C-alpha cells in the first residue's frame, strides 16, 4: 500500500511542477520519499525535488538532492546536470565542470552540455585570473592582516606571502600602486610584533634597488619611527629594521646596482639630504637612554658599513667629515661607557667594540694631517673635559674612552696616553679600593701594552702593580684581566724563543690558569672571554700552544664561546688558532745574515723546537678532532662589523693551515669548511683573500664539488681560483688552482662556461707553455676538460692563432701525463669539428710522426686517445684518409687490430679495428678471405 501511495504522490508532484507550483511539488515529493524504499523510485523523487530546488533558488538543497540520486545511480544524467546547475550558482565552478564533463561523456552530441562545458571553462579561467592576479592577492592579504577577528594561522600565512611578494619587483610595484605603503604603516601602528615584523620585512623588499620607492617609504614611515622601532629590545625586530634602513641607504646612495627602466631616475631628487638625516638619527641613537643594547649595536653596524669610503681611491670623504664634526663625541660617549656604573647606557657585549671599530674606520678614512689633527683635538678635549677630582665616575669614563680608542686607531690611542694625567690616572685607579675602578684600569693597561716599546715601559712600571692586584683581589673578573695583562707583557717577545720577558716556566703557569678559567662555566661569558684574550698572547710560546691543543675541554670551551652572541671574542679566538697552527708570516732566515748578526753580537731570533713541522701537524690533527671547523664556520657567519677584514684574514690563514694535508680535507668538507671559505675568498684583505682562495683550491682539487660546495655555491668558487692563476702568486698556488679548475671543469658545461667567462683561458694557455713539468701538466689537463665547451672550441677554430699547434706539439712531449692530457684534448677537438682535423695537418710538419707515436704508446690510455684521433682524421675527409693509409699508420693499425682483445686492451683493439673498417669503406683496403 505504501509503495502505491508513494507513486501517487510522485504523480501529484509532477502535476504541481507542470503548473509551476514548486512548493507544493516539493511537499509531494518529500512525502513520497518517506513511504518508499524502492531505489529507482527514490532516485526519481530526489532528482525531481532537485529540479524544484533549482526553480526556487534553493541551490544547496538542489545539490544535496541531486547527489543522493547520483549515489543510487552514478550514470543518472539528469541528476548530474541538475547538480552541475546548482553548483554553478553556488560558485563551485570546478565541481560543476566535472559534472557537466561527465554528462558530455555520456551524451557527446547533446549541444546543451557542450555549451555549458564551454561557458564553465571560460568562467573558471576568469575566476583563476582574478584570484591569482597580484592586485586581488594584495587586497586580500591586507584585509586578513588588518582584520582583528582573522585566525592566527591565516594572518601568519598572509604576512609571509606579503613579504615574498615585496621581494619581487612586480609584486613590490603592485603593493606600491595599491596604496600598500599606507596600509603597511597601519600595520606598524598595530604595535603587534608579528604584524610589525611582517610590515618591516615587506617594506625592506620594496625598497631594494628602487630609489623612488625608497624615498617615498622613508618619508611615509619617517626616519624617527624607523629608529624607534630599531631601538626596541627585541633582537629579531631590531635586525629586521636595520635591514630595512640598509636597503633604503643602498637605494638612495646608488649602492644597489640593479638596472632600472623607464623614468626611474627622473622621479627622484637629490638624496644627500635624506642620507644626512638618516646618519644624524643614527648618531642620536648612540647616546639615547631609550635605545636598547641591540638597537645601539645595529646603529653602529649601519654607521660602520655606510659612512667610511669602501675604496680609498674615491676622493669624496664628506660623510666621514660630517660624522666627525657632528657625531664623534657621541661615539666617544658610547665607547667610554662602564657597564657597572648606574649612569651606563643599555649595552650588549659587542657595543663598545663596535664603537672602537667605527672610530678606527673614521680615522683611517681621513685624507690629510689637518683632518687627523682635528679628529685628535676632539678626542683630547672630550677626555680632558671628563677629568674631575670630585667625580671618580667621570674619570672612569675618560680612561674607558682611552681604552676604547686603543682598540681602534692605536697611533691616536698612543698620543692620548701621552696626555697629562692619563697614565697617572690609570695607576691611581689600579690602586683604588673600588673594584670597578680596578677593572677599567687593568683593561686600559692591557690595551696600552700592545706595542713592544710601550710594553717595555709598563714592564718596568706596571708589572709589580698588576702582580699586587692579582695577589690581593678576590674578584675573579679583576683577577682574569690582571692575568691577561701579565700574559700580554709576557708575550712581548713574540715567537722568539730567545727573547723572553719572564722567567722560564712563568708563561706556562699563566696559560694553565687561563685554561682553568676558560673551562669554568660558572664565570660569566664576558669574563671568560678575557681568558681567551690571554691565550691569544701566550700561545706565541710553543710550549703553551702544545699544552693547549692537548687540553680538549679547554679547546671545546673556546669553540663554544666563539659560537655565542658575544662577537668581541672573534679576534682573540682567530689569533689563538693562528698561533696554534703557526699560520702567521715567518721571515725567511738567511744563514749568512745570522752569522753576521752573531759576529756583531746582535740578537738572533731562535725557533722553538716545538715549532717544527711534525709538531705543527700534530696540533692541526688535534684541532680538527676537537671540532675547530664548526667553530670557524660559525665565526665566518657573524653578520657584524666586529668581523673585520683583519679577523677574516686570520680565519683564512687558519683554514689554509688546516687544509695542508690532503687526508684532512674530507673532514673539513664534511663539517662545512668548503662553504665557510667562499665568503673569506671574496671579501677582506688582499692577503686574506689569497689565503682563502688557496685553501679553496686545495679542497676543490681533491673533493667532489657537489658535496664540498652544494647548490649554486660552486659557481662562486671559480673566481677566487682564477685569481690564483696570476703570475704574482707562487707556483704552488698556481698549480693547486689549476687542479681545482680541472676538477670543476669536469663536472658540467655550466661550470666550464663560468670558467670561460672569468677569462681563465689565456692564463691556462700560458701555463701550458711553462717550463715547470707539473704546472704544464696541470694546465694541459685543465684544457683537456675545457675543450668540451663550445666557445673554447670556437677559439681553436679561429684563424691566426697557435692553440691547436701547441696541443699537437704537447702530444709529442716525453712526459706521459702531459701527453695523455694533450691527446685527450686533441681527440675531443677533432671529434667535434672536421675543420680542426684538416687544420691539424697544417700546423706542424711533425703531426704524422706525433700521431704514430701516440698510436704505438706503451700506456694504453695514451694509445687509445691516439687511435681515436686517427679515426677522427680518417672519418673527416677521404683525401686525408688516403694520405694516412699511404703512411706507416696503416701498418700500425693492422698490428694493433690483429691483437687478441683482453680485458685491458679491449678499447684499444676495438678502436684500431674501427679505423680499418673506415679504410675498407673508402675502398683503400680489402678484407682477406
Amino acid at each position: 500500500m505504501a509503495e502505491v501511495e508513494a507513486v501517487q504522490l510522485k504523480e501529484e508532484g509532477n502535476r504541481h511542477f507542470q503548473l509551476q507550483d514548486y512548493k507544493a511539488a516539493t511537499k509531494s515529493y518529500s512525502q513520497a520519499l518517506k513511504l518508499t524504499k524502492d531505489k529507482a523510485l527514490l532516485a526519481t523523487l530526489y532528482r525531481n525535488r532537485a529540479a524544484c530546488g533549482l526553480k526556487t533558488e534553493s541551490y544547496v538543497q538542489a545539490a544535496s538532492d541531486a547527489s543522493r540520486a547520483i549515489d543510487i545511480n552514478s550514470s543518472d544524467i539528469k541528476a548530474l546536470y541538475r547538480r552541475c546547475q546548482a553548483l554553478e550558482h553556488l560558485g563551485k565552478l570546478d565541481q560543476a565542470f566535472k559534472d557537466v564533463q561527465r554528462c558530455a561523456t555520456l551524451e557527446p552530441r547533446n549541444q546543451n552540455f557542450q555549451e555549458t562545458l564551454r561557458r564553465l571553462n571560460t568562467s573558471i579561467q576568469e575566476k583563476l585570473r582574478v584570484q591569482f592576479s597580484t592586485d586581488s592577492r594584495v587586497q586580500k592579504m591586507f584585509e586578513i592582516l588588518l582584520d582583528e577577528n582573522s585566525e592566527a594561522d591565516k594572518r601568519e600565512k598572509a604576512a609571509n606571502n606579503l613579504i615574498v611578494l615585496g621581494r619581487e619587483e612586480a609584486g613590490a610595484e603592485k603593493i606600491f600602486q595599491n596604496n600598500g605603503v599606507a596600509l603597511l604603516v597601519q600595520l606598524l601602528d598595530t604595535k603587534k610584533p608579528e604584524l610589525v615584523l611582517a610590515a618591516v620585512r615587506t617594506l625592506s623588499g620594496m625598497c631594494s634597488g628602487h630609489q623612488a620607492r625608497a624615498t617615498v617609504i622613508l618619508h611615509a614611515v619617517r626616519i624617527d619611527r624607523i629608529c624607534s622601532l630599531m631601538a626596541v629590545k627585541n633582537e629579531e625586530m631590531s635586525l629586521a629594521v636595520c635591514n630595512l634602513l640598509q636597503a633604503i641607504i643602498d637605494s638612495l646612495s646608488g649602492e644597489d646596482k640593479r638596472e632600472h627602466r623607464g623614468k626611474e631616475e627622473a622621479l627622484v631628487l637629490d638624496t644627500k639630504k635624506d642620507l644626512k638625516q638618516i646618519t644624524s638619527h643614527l648618531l642620536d641613537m648612540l647616546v639615547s637612554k631609550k635605545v636598547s643594547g641591540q638597537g645601539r649595536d645595529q646603529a653602529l653596524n649601519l654607521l660602520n658599513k655606510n659612512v667610511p669610503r669602501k675604496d680609498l681611491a674615491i676622493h669624496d670623504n664628506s660623510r666621514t667629515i660630517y660624522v666627525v664634526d657632528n657625531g664623534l663625541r657621541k661615539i666617544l660617549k658610547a665607547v667610554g661607557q662602564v657597564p657597572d656604573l648606574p649612569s651606563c647606557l643599555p649595552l650588549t657585549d659587542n657595543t663598545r667594540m663596535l664603537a672602537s671599530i667605527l672610530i678606527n674606520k673614521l680615522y683611517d678614512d681621513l685624507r690629510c694631517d689637518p683632518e687627523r689633527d682635528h679628529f685628535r683635538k676632539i678626542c683630547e678635549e672630550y677626555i680632558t673635559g671628563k677629568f674631575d677630582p670630585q667625580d671618580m665616575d667621570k674619570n672612569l669614563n675618560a680612561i674607558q674612552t682611552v681604552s676604547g680608542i686603543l682598540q681602534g686607531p692605536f697611533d691616536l690611542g698612543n698620543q692620548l696616553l701621552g696626555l697629562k694625567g692619563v697614565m697617572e690616572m690609570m695607576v691611581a685607579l689600579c690602586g683604588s679600593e673600588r673594584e670597578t675602578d680596578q677593572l677599567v684600569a687593568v683593561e686600559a693597561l692591557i690595551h696600552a701594552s700592545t706595542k713592544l716599546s710601550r710594553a717595555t715601559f709598563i714592564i718596568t712600571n706596571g708589572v709589580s702593580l698588576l702582580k699586587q692586584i692579582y695577589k690581593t683581589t678576590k674578584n675573579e673578573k679583576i683577577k682574569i684581566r690582571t692575568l691577561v695583562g701579565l700574559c700580554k707583557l709576557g708575550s712581548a717577545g713574540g715567537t722568539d724563543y730567545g727573547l723572553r720577558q719572564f722567567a722560564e716556566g712563568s708563561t706556562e703557569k699563566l696559560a694553565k690558569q687561563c685554561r682553568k678559567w676558560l673551562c669554568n662555566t660558572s664565570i660569566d661569558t664576558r669574563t671568560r672571554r678575557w681568558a681567551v684574550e690571554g691565550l691569544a698572547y701566550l700561545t706565541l710560546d710553543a710550549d703553551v700552544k702544545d699544552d693547549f691543543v692537548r687540553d680538549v675541554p679547554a679547546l671545546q670551551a673556546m669553540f663554544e664561546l666563539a659560537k655565542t652572541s658575544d662577537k668581541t671574542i672573534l679576534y682573540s679566538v682567530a689569533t689563538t688558532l693562528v698561533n696554534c697552527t703557526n699560520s702567521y708570516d715567518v721571515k725567511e732566515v738567511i744563514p749568512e745574515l745570522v752569522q753576521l748578526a752573531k759576529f756583531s753580537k746582535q740578537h738572533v731570533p731562535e725557533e722553538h723546537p716545538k715549532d717544527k713541522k711534525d709538531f705543527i701537524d700534530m696540533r692541526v690533527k688535534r684541532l680538527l678532532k676537537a671540532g675547530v671547523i664548526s667553530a670557524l664556520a660559525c665565526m665566518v657567519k657573524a653578520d657584524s662589523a666586529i668581523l673585520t677584514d683583519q679577523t677574516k684574514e686570520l680565519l683564512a690563514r687558519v683554514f689554509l693551515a688546516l687544509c695542508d694535508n690532503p687526508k684532512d680535507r674530507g673532514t673539513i668538507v664534511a663539517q662545512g669548511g668548503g662553504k665557510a671559505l667562499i665568503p673569506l675568498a671574496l671579501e677582506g684583505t688582499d692577503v686574506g683573500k689569497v689565503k682563502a682562495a688557496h685553501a679553496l683550491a686545495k679542497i676543490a682539487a681533491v673533493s667532489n664539488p657537489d658535496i664540498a660546495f652544494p647548490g649554486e655555491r660552486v659557481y662562486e668558487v671559480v673566481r677566487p681560483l682564477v685569481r690564483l692563476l696570476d703570475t704574482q702568486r707562487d707556483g704552488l698556488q698556481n698549480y693547486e688552482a689549476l687542479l681545482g679548475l680541472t676538477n670543476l671543469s669536469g663536472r658540467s658545461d655550466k661550470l666550464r662556461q663560468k670558467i670561460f667567462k672569468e677569462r681563465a683561458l689565456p692564463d691556462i694557455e700560458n701555463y701550458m707553455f711553462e717550463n715547470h713539468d707539473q704546472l704544464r701538466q696541470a694546465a694541459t689537463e685543465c684544457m683537456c676538460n675545457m675543450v668540451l665547451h663550445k666557445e673554447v672550441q670556437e677559439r681553436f677554430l679561429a684563424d691566426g692563432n697557435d692553440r691547436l699547434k701547441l696541443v699537437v706539439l704537447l702530444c709529442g712531449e716525453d712526459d706521459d701525463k702531459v701527453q695523455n692530457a694533450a691527446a685527450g684534448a686533441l681527440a675531443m677537438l677533432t671529434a667535434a669539428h672536421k675543420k680542426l682535423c684538416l687544420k691539424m695537418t697544417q700546423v706542424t710538419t711533425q703531426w704524422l710522426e706525433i700521431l704514430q707515436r701516440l698510436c704505438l704508446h706503451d700506456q694504453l690510455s695514451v694509445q687509445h686517445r691516439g687511435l681515436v684521433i686517427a679515426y677522427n682524421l680518417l672519418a673527416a675527409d677521404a683525401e686525408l684518409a688516403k694520405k694516412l693509409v699511404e703512411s706507416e699508420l696503416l701498418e700500425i693499425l693492422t698490428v694493433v687490430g690483429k691483437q687478441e682483445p683482453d680485458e685491458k686492451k679491449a678499447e684499444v683493439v676495438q678502436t684500431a679495428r674501427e679505423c680499418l673498417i673506415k679504410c675498407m669503406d673508402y675502398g683503400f683496403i680489402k678484407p682477406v678471405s
Side-chain angles (χ1 to χ4, degrees):
M1 285 295 289
E3 291 294 335
V4 173
E5 194 178 342
V7 171
Q8 288 172 347
L9 283 166
K10 184 196 87 165
E11 296 298 334
E12 185 183 298
N14 290 350
R15 286 193 294 277
H16 287 308
F17 190 88
Q18 284 166 355
L19 295 168
Q20 296 182 1
D21 188 355
Y22 303 119
K23 283 187 179 178
T26 302
K27 188 177 178 184
S28 298
Y29 294 140
S30 299
Q31 286 173 341
L33 282 166
K34 292 174 185 174
L35 298 173
T36 184
K37 289 183 179 177
D38 179 72
K39 283 192 174 182
L41 183 57
L42 281 170
T44 305
L45 290 168
Y46 279 125
R47 186 173 66 214
N48 290 356
R49 195 168 74 173
C52 294
L54 287 172
K55 295 293 184 182
T56 57
E57 297 182 6
S58 304
Y59 299 119
V60 175
Q61 184 62 47
S64 173
D65 284 343
S67 294
R68 288 185 179 183
I70 294 162
D71 288 342
I72 296 167
N73 178 9
S74 61
S75 298
D76 189 334
I77 200 160
K78 286 185 180 178
L80 280 164
Y81 189 62
R82 283 169 193 171
R83 186 170 73 174
C84 159
Q85 290 173 299
L87 290 169
E88 183 181 358
H89 282 103
L90 290 169
K92 297 179 180 179
L93 301 182
D94 50 342
Q95 293 177 33
F97 185 80
K98 285 179 184 174
D99 282 347
V100 77
Q101 207 171 28
R102 178 107 174 93
C103 293
T105 307
L106 293 168
E107 284 188 22
R109 293 182 181 178
N110 188 316
Q111 289 301 314
N112 199 16
F113 295 162
Q114 294 297 337
E115 182 57 40
T116 308
L117 201 62
R118 277 194 291 273
R119 189 183 72 251
L120 280 175
N121 185 41
T122 307
S123 300
I124 288 168
Q125 294 304 320
E126 178 60 23
K127 186 182 177 183
L128 287 171
R129 190 186 67 75
V130 172
Q131 190 178 340
F132 289 103
S133 73
T134 315
D135 289 7
S136 133
R137 281 162 69 200
V138 169
Q139 292 298 333
K140 191 77 178 165
M141 285 174 211
F142 279 117
E143 281 170 23
I144 294 167
L145 289 169
L146 291 168
D147 181 5
E148 291 187 5
N149 300 319
S150 296
E151 295 169 23
D153 57 337
K154 273 191 177 180
R155 272 189 162 193
E156 188 182 343
K157 193 176 178 183
N160 289 335
N161 288 341
L162 201 61
I163 294 164
V164 172
L165 205 60
R167 286 175 186 159
E168 302 165 6
E169 176 54 35
E173 192 56 36
K174 285 290 181 190
I175 296 172
F176 191 74
Q177 298 291 349
N178 282 276
N179 196 31
V181 176
L183 292 168
L184 286 164
V185 170
Q186 281 184 45
L187 285 182
L188 294 176
D189 291 336
T190 61
K191 301 283 194 301
K192 293 181 178 175
E194 69 279 5
L195 296 183
V196 174
L197 205 56
V200 167
R201 285 174 174 161
T202 307
L203 287 167
S204 189
M206 289 171 69
C207 289
S208 295
H210 201 292
Q211 208 175 70
R213 276 203 301 264
T215 308
V216 171
I217 286 167
L218 178 64
H219 289 278
V221 184
R222 298 195 323 275
I223 183 63
D224 55 324
R225 180 186 287 179
I226 295 172
C227 288
S228 66
L229 282 171
M230 195 162 77
V232 298
K233 282 185 179 178
N234 183 329
E235 191 173 352
E236 191 181 11
M237 176 74 73
S238 190
L239 183 60
V241 180
C242 175
N243 290 336
L244 167 61
L245 258 180
Q246 186 60 58
I248 292 172
I249 293 167
D250 284 346
S251 296
L252 295 185
S253 59
E255 291 292 329
D256 196 313
K257 299 294 181 190
R258 297 192 201 177
E259 282 186 28
H260 301 297
R261 295 180 183 178
K263 299 175 182 176
E264 163 71 11
E265 297 304 319
L267 294 172
V268 182
L269 300 169
D270 186 17
T271 59
K272 285 181 182 174
K273 189 179 174 184
D274 287 331
L275 288 167
K276 198 171 275 188
Q277 191 186 24
I278 292 169
T279 306
S280 177
H281 274 81
L282 291 174
L283 289 167
D284 290 341
M285 284 182 75
L286 302 185
V287 290
S288 170
K289 281 214 162 190
K290 293 177 182 176
V291 176
S292 68
Q294 266 90 21
R296 213 175 308 281
D297 283 4
Q298 298 304 349
L300 284 163
N301 272 327
L302 286 166
L303 290 166
N304 265 307
K305 190 170 182 182
N306 299 294
V307 174
R309 290 170 292 170
K310 290 179 176 64
D311 182 1
L312 294 179
I314 299 165
H315 190 72
D316 181 23
N317 69 339
S318 56
R319 287 192 202 178
T320 295
I321 299 298
Y322 175 79
V323 170
V324 170
D325 289 340
N326 298 281
L328 182 54
R329 288 171 183 82
K330 292 171 183 174
I331 301 165
L332 291 171
K333 183 174 179 179
V335 87
Q337 293 299 301
V338 180
D340 298 329
L341 293 183
S343 60
C344 182
L345 297 167
L347 306 173
T348 69
D349 293 332
N350 302 325
T351 308
R352 289 189 60 247
M353 180 60 80
L354 285 167
S356 291
I357 289 166
L358 180 56
I359 292 168
N360 189 46
K361 285 188 172 183
L362 293 172
Y363 191 73
D364 286 347
D365 200 42
L366 300 173
R367 291 186 294 120
C368 56
D369 286 343
E371 287 179 1
R372 281 184 276 274
D373 289 340
H374 176 58
F375 192 101
R376 178 176 51 76
K377 278 176 188 169
I378 294 174
C379 294
E380 285 179 3
E381 285 169 14
Y382 181 85
I383 290 160
T384 50
K386 284 281 177 187
F387 284 139
D388 185 349
Q390 306 302 319
D391 191 343
M392 190 52 86
D393 286 0
K394 279 191 171 183
N395 296 329
L396 212 54
N397 286 133
I399 297 302
Q400 187 81 317
T401 306
V402 174
S403 183
I405 294 170
L406 282 163
Q407 292 176 77
F410 190 80
D411 294 339
L412 174 64
N414 249 347
Q415 288 175 324
L416 296 175
L417 281 175
L419 280 176
K420 188 181 176 185
V422 172
M423 288 300 284
E424 292 85 346
M425 183 57 72
M426 280 190 197
V427 173
L429 288 172
C430 281
S432 168
E433 290 181 6
R434 195 164 67 154
E435 288 179 339
T436 307
D437 299 348
Q438 291 182 4
L439 208 65
V440 170
V442 170
E443 282 190 22
L445 274 173
I446 292 166
H447 297 311
S449 57
T450 299
K451 289 274 172 80
L452 184 57
S453 56
R454 181 67 57 182
T456 311
F457 166 78
I458 292 172
I459 285 168
T460 52
N461 296 284
V463 169
S464 56
L465 199 62
L466 289 173
K467 284 183 177 175
Q468 184 64 30
I469 294 172
Y470 184 73
K471 286 174 186 172
T472 55
T473 187
K474 290 179 182 175
N475 186 326
E476 290 281 296
K477 293 180 181 181
I478 296 171
K479 231 181 173 70
I480 291 179
R481 284 161 175 77
T482 313
L483 184 76
V484 172
L486 293 168
C487 294
K488 199 167 185 179
L489 299 172
S491 66
T495 55
D496 187 349
Y497 184 49
L499 190 63
R500 292 190 160 200
Q501 302 291 345
F502 293 165
E504 185 77 41
S506 296
T507 45
E508 284 94 316
K509 284 178 187 173
L510 288 170
K512 192 174 181 181
Q513 187 59 53
C514 280
R515 298 205 311 268
K516 187 178 167 187
W517 272 321
L518 183 58
C519 295
N520 187 350
T521 49
S522 62
I523 302 172
D524 66 284
T525 308
R526 195 159 148 251
T527 307
R528 285 167 69 207
R529 171 170 65 84
W530 282 96
V532 182
E533 187 99 3
L535 286 166
Y537 300 117
L538 292 176
T539 45
L540 285 164
D541 184 298
D543 288 316
V544 171
K545 56 182 131 181
D546 215 55
D547 291 342
F548 181 46
V549 294
R550 291 172 191 277
D551 188 345
V552 177
L555 273 181
Q556 288 176 340
M558 182 175 80
F559 296 156
E560 287 307 312
L561 278 177
K563 295 174 187 177
T564 60
S565 59
D566 181 1
K567 301 303 173 195
T568 55
I569 201 170
L570 295 180
Y571 189 80
S572 304
V573 174
T575 307
T576 306
L577 291 171
V578 164
N579 293 341
C580 288
T581 54
N582 284 47
S583 46
Y584 40 71
D585 289 326
V586 180
K587 286 182 181 177
E588 189 182 349
V589 178
I590 300 164
E592 292 83 1
L593 288 179
V594 172
Q595 293 301 321
L596 191 63
K598 284 181 179 175
F599 181 73
S600 57
K601 296 183 179 175
Q602 294 292 317
H603 172 72
V604 179
E606 298 174 39
E607 187 186 43
H608 195 290
K610 288 185 179 176
D611 275 332
K612 292 196 174 358
K613 180 96 173 62
D614 50 346
F615 279 95
I616 297 169
D617 292 345
M618 182 276 296
R619 288 199 287 272
V620 165
K621 291 272 184 214
R622 289 180 187 276
L623 285 168
L624 286 168
K625 196 174 178 183
V628 68
I629 297 297
S630 60
L632 288 170
C634 200
M635 289 163 76
V636 170
K637 286 178 191 169
D639 184 22
S640 168
I642 292 174
L643 185 64
T644 58
D645 288 349
Q646 287 73 25
T647 309
K648 287 177 187 173
E649 183 186 316
L650 294 177
L651 295 174
R653 286 176 180 275
V654 176
F655 266 119
L656 183 56
L658 296 172
C659 292
D660 193 50
N661 188 339
K663 291 178 182 175
D664 295 330
R665 292 173 201 168
T667 309
I668 292 165
V669 167
Q671 293 177 10
K675 289 179 282 185
L677 267 167
I678 295 170
L680 296 177
L682 298 172
E683 295 173 2
T685 64
D686 290 339
V687 173
K689 287 191 283 190
V690 169
K691 300 274 183 195
H694 192 186
L696 272 177
K698 285 178 180 287
I699 288 173
V702 298
S703 307
N704 179 342
D706 299 336
I707 296 168
F709 318 107
E712 296 296 307
R713 287 191 186 92
V714 70
Y715 300 104
E716 295 177 54
V717 178
V718 174
R719 183 171 294 172
L721 297 194
V722 172
R723 283 179 185 161
L724 280 186
L725 298 181
D726 194 314
T727 49
Q728 291 181 342
R729 308 276 80 88
D730 64 46
L732 182 63
Q733 290 170 342
N734 299 152
Y735 175 67
E736 292 189 315
L738 285 166
L739 292 184
L741 289 169
T742 303
N743 197 8
L744 292 177
S745 58
R747 300 304 297 176
S748 71
D749 196 58
K750 207 172 171 187
L751 271 167
R752 287 190 283 275
Q753 185 180 20
K754 176 71 176 167
I755 294 167
F756 181 81
K757 286 195 170 172
E758 289 294 339
R759 299 177 184 173
L761 207 64
D763 291 321
I764 296 167
E765 287 169 350
N766 285 342
Y767 288 110
M768 288 168 74
F769 283 105
E770 185 64 50
N771 288 329
H772 194 288
D773 291 345
Q774 284 179 299
L775 274 173
R776 191 165 71 252
Q777 175 206 320
T780 311
E781 285 174 353
C782 190
M783 184 59 79
C784 180
N785 285 346
M786 286 300 294
V787 295
L788 288 166
H789 185 55
K790 189 181 175 185
E791 289 177 82
V792 177
Q793 291 170 9
E794 285 169 5
R795 292 288 180 96
F796 277 88
L797 282 164
D799 295 327
N801 70 73
D802 290 334
R803 288 188 178 90
L804 191 65
K805 182 179 180 178
L806 174 62
V807 174
V808 174
L809 292 174
L810 286 172
C811 289
E813 286 278 314
D814 293 332
D815 187 320
D816 290 350
K817 288 182 178 176
V818 172
Q819 263 189 313
N820 194 43
L826 196 56
M828 285 185 277
L829 286 167
T830 50
H833 298 278
K834 288 183 179 180
K835 186 181 172 183
L836 289 174
C837 296
L838 298 168
K839 193 176 179 181
M840 178 185 160
T841 64
Q842 297 159 8
V843 291
T844 173
T845 53
Q846 301 168 15
W847 70 272
L848 190 54
E849 184 190 334
I850 289 168
L851 181 59
Q852 289 168 356
R853 279 180 60 195
L854 289 176
C855 293
L856 287 168
H857 206 281
D858 296 340
Q859 268 197 25
L860 292 174
S861 62
V862 179
Q863 188 182 17
H864 178 241
R865 291 173 183 206
L867 290 164
V868 170
I869 297 165
Y871 179 82
N872 294 339
L873 297 183
L874 288 165
D877 182 71
E879 284 298 316
L880 179 55
K882 190 177 180 183
K883 193 184 286 187
L884 290 171
V885 170
E886 288 169 356
S887 72
E888 292 174 9
L889 188 68
L890 180 61
E891 194 179 331
I892 296 166
L893 293 172
T894 309
V895 171
V896 177
K898 281 183 178 178
Q899 291 178 12
E900 282 301 317
D902 58 22
E903 195 177 325
K904 289 180 182 177
K905 289 184 179 179
E907 277 187 327
V908 170
V909 175
Q910 181 59 33
T911 310
R913 288 176 181 177
E914 283 172 8
C915 290
L916 292 168
I917 291 165
K918 199 74 192 169
C919 294
M920 285 164 60
D921 292 345
Y922 283 124
F924 297 146
I925 60 171
K926 291 178 182 176
V928 179
S929 56

